[in-house]
Amino acid sequence: MTDLEFISNTKKLIDDLKSVCANYGLGNDGNEFKIISQTFLYKYMNDKFSYEAKKINETLAEANDFQKSYESLSDEERKFLIARIGNKAPKLQPEHLISYLFNNSTKANFAETYFDGTLRNISLDNSNLYSIKTASGVKDKMFDDLSQFITDSSQRDAFARALVNKLVNFSFEKMFQEKYDFFATIFEYLIKDYNSDSGGKYAEYYTPHAVARIMAAILVKDAVTNVKVYDPSAGSGTLLMNIAHAIGEKNCSIYSEDISQKSSNMLRLNLILNNLSHSIPNIIKGNTISEPSYLKEKFDYIVSNPPFKLDFSDFRNDLDKDSFKERFFAGIPNVPKAKKDSMSIYLLFIQHIMHSLSTTGKAAIVVPTGFITAQSGIEKNIREALINRGWLRGVVSMPSNIFASTGTNVSVIFIDKEADNEHIVLVDSSKLGKTIKEGKNQRTVLTREEEERIINAMNQKLPEEDFSVVISAEQIKEKNYSFSAGQYFEVKIEYVEITAEEFQNKMTSFENNLTAMFAESAELEKKIQENLKKLRYE
């Protein structure tokens, strides 16, 4: 099976699930997202279990009917099989499989007893592996009672049956065999209809994969093991997935916080699909700024695309207490008299990240480009601290519209506690990329070659005319702590050697051209005056 077939089949499954929701009055309903994402997760977990079980048990691998073969195993054999699978897949009993539900789909009370009951039992049996904690320590449930979103109880059995019928049409197992990383494409397709408001209340827009790849490639230059990776505003986890792939899934533990329940649930799905299930217990749904769950933790790598503008007036005054002063050393944004939702909360995230780095920690943070040149205020205080502490490794200013959901120009700040103060790299990639139409918005897309150009400039410390500069901390201080590459590009005048005769010829040519133009101008003036004299009032 080819990559295109993988993508096509998976998109078809999502479209089929959307169609079922629409047929039962849930199209564009607030619960449609939960139904599709959770049903998709159940399908994936079911196929992942079958795939791992077949690798261990030869009888299951050769069976024409996996369901019957699995049911025929003794209790001891099933326990041994599940123990061998470990954390590679969920713990599923025969009655948890899609084929079991399909075989019993005509039974009375199918929705409540079989469909919702199965998802409920899977949640309970796998809570240690897949549950997300809130800041207070309470664990969520992995699946809702999906059929209960149908208000007409007489339609629930038919609705659950229709969902199951869509799940038996194909298997993800060949994707596992090919080790195909299909999730990046599928994820955007899965959530595109639920993210049309440019981020909504919690700025849940998703970092472009080009930006995430660039950040990961610059942060992770050498092989590392047993490191902690953190995102204090994780969203769906695009940044975390990319840096985890760069490090190696087995070589790192993922930690995240996000105030949005939707983002936390999508991050769980993202971790499962990217072989990072071992980090699910580290996902926290909570307020990173006012109630950070990992305040005492220090991290080796931090990546973040924090919300730029968000109303935090409800807890702003609490941040002025002494207990917060060390973390928010550069200051806390004031509450504006109007447009509270324009509060620059990202400045708090930057300071939180600086506070959370280990002694050799590294970070990459997406910021509005205005941050890198602001002449005063909290922005400048943070930039001064990065230079004076010797933590700035470099900055990449991205092209306009690199995010389709926001017109804000962005840059990426790279922090490294072991940075080289004499060779700070500033890159201006604003002229790169191609503009494409994406729905009602325009987005700039970078080619892989352009991505590599940016990465090489940073990692190899390569100066390039009108693209990148390599400067010292002292030079940055002289420019009032500006992090903009353009302010360090020299104005270059090209000089060409010419003879005295060539010079005289050029001057004669200039004089002749000017004389001709002056003569033409005088003739035009004369004609204008003549025409004005001919004008009469009638």
Side-chain angles (χ1 to χ4, degrees), residues 6-14 40 170 172 175 186:
F6 291 155
I7 294 172
S8 176
N9 284 341
T10 311
K11 285 184 176 180
K12 183 178 184 304
L13 172 60
I14 295 169
F40 184 90
F170 82 101
F172 285 125
M175 297 183 187
I186 300 310

Side-chain angles (χ1 to χ4, degrees), residues 389-428:
R389 296 179 188 181
W391 292 4
L392 183 67
R393 179 180 165 195
V395 178
V396 176
S397 295
M398 291 291 176
S400 300
N401 300 315
I402 196 77
F403 290 81
S405 55
T406 174
T408 305
N409 289 338
V410 303
S411 296
V412 181
I413 306 289
F414 291 91
I415 300 172
D416 186 342
K417 283 197 173 181
E418 298 178 310
D420 175 3
N421 267 3
E422 296 301 314
H423 299 88
I424 298 168
V425 184
L426 305 181
V427 177
D428 180 3

Side-chain angles (χ1 to χ4, degrees), residues 453-472:
R453 185 181 173 191
I454 295 169
I455 293 165
N456 289 337
M458 283 292 299
N459 286 348
Q460 298 178 29
K461 302 183 186 297
L462 297 176
E464 184 180 335
E465 186 174 345
D466 294 332
F467 179 70
S468 60
V469 293
V470 181
I471 54 177
S472 68

Side-chain angles (χ1 to χ4, degrees), residues 47-62 66 81 84-85 88-89 173 176-177 179 250 275:
D47 292 353
K48 181 67 170 172
F49 174 81
S50 298
Y51 173 72
E52 296 296 343
K54 289 175 183 178
K55 289 199 299 184
I56 294 170
N57 188 297
E58 189 174 335
T59 302
L60 294 177
E62 296 176 354
F66 182 87
L81 176 67
R84 287 280 306 278
I85 292 174
K88 295 178 182 177
E173 288 185 44
F176 307 139
Q177 292 172 354
K179 296 184 179 179
K250 294 181 180 179
N275 297 318

Side-chain angles (χ1 to χ4, degrees), residues 74-133:
S74 67
D75 289 345
E76 286 302 316
E77 288 174 323
R78 279 200 293 272
K79 288 180 181 178
F80 179 73
L81 176 67
I82 289 173
R84 287 280 306 278
I85 292 174
N87 292 340
K88 295 178 182 177
K91 301 173 184 177
L92 299 184
Q93 299 299 326
E95 63 272 19
H96 294 159
L97 302 182
I98 292 171
S99 50
Y100 181 85
L101 293 184
F102 181 75
N103 293 339
N104 290 275
S105 59
T106 58
K107 297 286 182 68
N109 203 24
F110 173 72
E112 167 61 23
T113 303
Y114 289 88
F115 186 70
D116 288 339
T118 293
L119 299 183
R120 206 178 299 129
N121 289 333
I122 292 173
S123 290
L124 290 171
D125 291 351
N126 295 276
S127 61
N128 290 336
L129 183 59
Y130 294 127
S131 284
I132 296 170
K133 291 185 293 186

